[in-house]
Amino acid sequence: MNIEKLINRDAEKHAPYIGRFINHLPMTQFALFGITDDINKVENFTEDYLKKTSIDKVKEKYKQVNSLEACLGERELYESCLDLIRGMSNQEDIEELVGLVLNKYPLGLSSGIFHTIIRVSYAIEGYKLDKNLKPEVERALAYYITGYREGDQFKRKISKEDVKAEMIKLMESVEFKEIRNSDSSLGGKLKQLYGNKNYMDQGFTIEGNEEDKVKGILQILIPAYYNSNNIITLHCITGLQAVVTLKEYFTNYEDVLDIHATTAITHILTQKDLDITVKNTKLEKSWDEVLEEASKSKDIHTIKFAYTNKKLDDLFSERDLKYVTNKRVELEK
């Protein structure tokens, strides 16, 4: 067994869902293999996960569709959309198809708390290592389309030096606090914030190049995570790594980073435990030590968090990503 066969074996018979929740298995399999390079460890994790988790099976009977638009946001059409994607991928290069989908629907990157874009990024990473993972790219695209929920994009740009101050203004706004502290669902709060003109006017993205934008948003996301261990914030970080991984497929990559910033800021503002105060994050452990501990975890999010944070740190030298990864691992003990 190798990682390609393992991912394809399990993902082909399972939908992207576990009831109302997400099937993380193909992503976690790839992340754990990326951390350990140990297929036996991945097989053992998979066996344990499948014993404990009832993943939705793909439907055997489903209707045919003739356009991506017909599937957009329709999770019940996953199998129908997958058939359509596979027909399209037989006619054109799969990587060109990734670009077509992502550029047509960039406002959907935060769908399902960023899971849709995360799965596409893992699939592409796998495909570049082994072309036999093309079916996983097709499945990821079908999930991206059928799981689609539209976000938005702030128009106001600020310097990365002003990010913390501007974020505090959003957090302290009486008007927005009323939405944040309500008993509405995550989706309900997102809808209210995106529909609020004052919020869309006062929200911001970070001006500059890729590094400015990535480091700018991490000034918020890293402390927000290590002060809370909040799962929404965790996915904002792993979603950022997904966007960076897929940069070559976006026609307007800088705009997509702005969409990520908009949706990440909006997602974490729905959380009542949001705190972006900077704490002392000194950590003597090496990344190898942190990844070794993370690889022992049975938690899908811990494994993926470790894998993607190491990738981000390699690219942007943000040492606190190691700290928050270690904190996630330590909290499990």
Side-chain angles (χ1 to χ4, degrees):
M1 184 71 75
N2 61 29
I3 191 62
E4 167 267 317
K5 289 181 180 177
L6 189 60
I7 290 174
N8 281 330
R9 182 197 71 184
D10 296 316
E12 189 62 22
K13 58 190 176 187
H14 291 124
Y17 303 104
I18 301 173
R20 296 186 301 106
F21 300 103
I22 305 301
N23 170 18
H24 294 81
L25 184 57
M27 297 176 279
T28 311
Q29 287 170 323
F30 185 79
L32 184 56
F33 186 72
I35 290 173
T36 65
D37 197 31
D38 185 343
I39 193 64
N40 291 324
K41 194 174 187 72
V42 183
E43 286 190 87
N44 290 336
F45 177 90
T46 300
E47 183 179 349
D48 184 64
Y49 185 80
L50 290 173
K51 282 180 181 177
K52 296 178 179 177
T53 312
S54 181
I55 308 173
D56 296 4
K57 297 288 180 63
V58 294
K59 297 193 291 285
E60 294 182 3
K61 295 182 179 180
Y62 47 87
K63 70 178 184 178
Q64 299 300 306
V65 294
N66 55 19
S67 71
L68 297 180
E69 287 73 17
C71 305
L72 197 63
E74 301 292 340
R75 59 177 283 172
E76 292 302 317
L77 293 181
Y78 167 73
E79 294 85 357
S80 308
C81 187
L82 182 55
D83 267 4
L84 182 63
I85 289 288
R86 284 177 169 163
M88 295 171 72
S89 73
N90 287 333
Q91 303 298 318
E92 60 183 291
D93 179 81
I94 188 65
E95 293 190 74
E96 291 181 4
L97 187 55
V98 169
L100 184 152
V101 170
L102 294 181
N103 286 299
K104 193 168 188 178
Y105 305 115
L107 289 177
L109 65 84
S110 64
S111 302
I113 320 176
F114 297 91
H115 281 111
T116 56
I117 196 74
I118 293 168
R119 185 158 177 183
V120 174
S121 74
Y122 277 53
I124 278 293
E125 280 195 89
Y127 175 76
K128 288 186 173 182
L129 294 175
D130 188 333
K131 295 299 186 287
N132 289 316
L133 275 169
K134 177 183 175 183
E136 174 59 11
V137 180
E138 295 167 340
R139 291 186 291 263
L141 289 176
Y143 172 43
Y144 186 89
I145 293 165
T146 56
Y148 183 86
R149 294 293 182 270
E150 192 167 283
D152 212 326
Q153 180 178 357
F154 294 136
K155 302 305 179 187
R156 187 168 74 97
K157 292 185 182 296
I158 65 168
S159 166
K160 70 177 187 297
E161 285 74 28
D162 297 327
V163 166
K164 298 292 282 292
E166 289 291 334
M167 187 66 190
I168 289 170
K169 288 180 184 178
L170 291 178
M171 292 168 62
E172 293 182 347
S173 164
V174 174
E175 181 181 5
F176 309 147
K177 274 185 179 178
E178 185 175 346
I179 297 173
R180 295 177 57 210
N181 293 328
S182 74
D183 292 327
S184 297
S185 65
L186 171 64
K189 290 181 182 181
L190 291 173
K191 186 175 181 180
Q192 290 178 70
L193 287 170
Y194 288 136
N196 185 302
K197 185 178 183 305
N198 288 335
Y199 176 70
M200 293 306 298
D201 287 344
Q202 293 175 41
F204 59 87
T205 61
I206 299 100
E207 62 188 9
N209 58 23
E210 176 192 38
E211 184 169 346
D212 292 329
K213 291 175 182 293
V214 170
K215 290 195 169 191
I217 195 64
L218 286 175
Q219 288 182 57
I220 298 170
L221 296 179
I222 289 175
Y225 179 76
Y226 64 62
N227 289 332
S228 66
N229 192 32
N230 182 284
I231 198 68
I232 303 296
T233 308
L234 179 150
H235 285 98
C236 292
I237 297 174
T238 53
L240 173 62
Q241 191 271 337
V243 171
V244 171
T245 298
L246 294 165
K247 64 184 291 185
E248 68 186 90
Y249 300 96
F250 292 110
T251 303
N252 297 306
Y253 174 56
E254 286 75 16
D255 279 352
V256 176
L257 286 173
D258 289 346
I259 293 171
H260 172 271
T262 302
T263 54
I265 289 168
T266 307
H267 270 73
I268 65 174
L269 275 170
T270 66
Q271 303 303 291
K272 296 178 182 179
D273 60 358
L274 179 59
D275 175 6
I276 61 171
T277 306
V278 175
K279 303 292 195 303
N280 179 9
T281 58
K282 185 177 181 181
L283 180 68
E284 299 299 333
K285 290 182 184 178
S286 69
W287 259 116
D288 285 344
E289 291 174 296
V290 173
L291 294 177
E292 172 64 23
E293 289 300 310
S295 74
K296 299 174 185 176
S297 175
K298 299 298 183 183
D299 188 287
I300 51 178
H301 294 109
T302 299
I303 293 168
K304 290 165 57 188
F305 197 48
Y307 176 73
T308 57
N309 283 350
K310 177 61 165 64
K311 291 272 188 177
L312 276 177
D313 188 32
D314 285 346
L315 289 172
F316 300 102
S317 299
E318 281 289 345
R319 68 175 181 86
D320 283 354
L321 288 165
K322 182 174 66 174
Y323 175 86
V324 293
T325 304
N326 183 69
K327 180 169 184 178
R328 176 81 191 180
V329 174
E330 290 295 323
L331 286 170
E332 290 186 25
K333 295 179 179 179

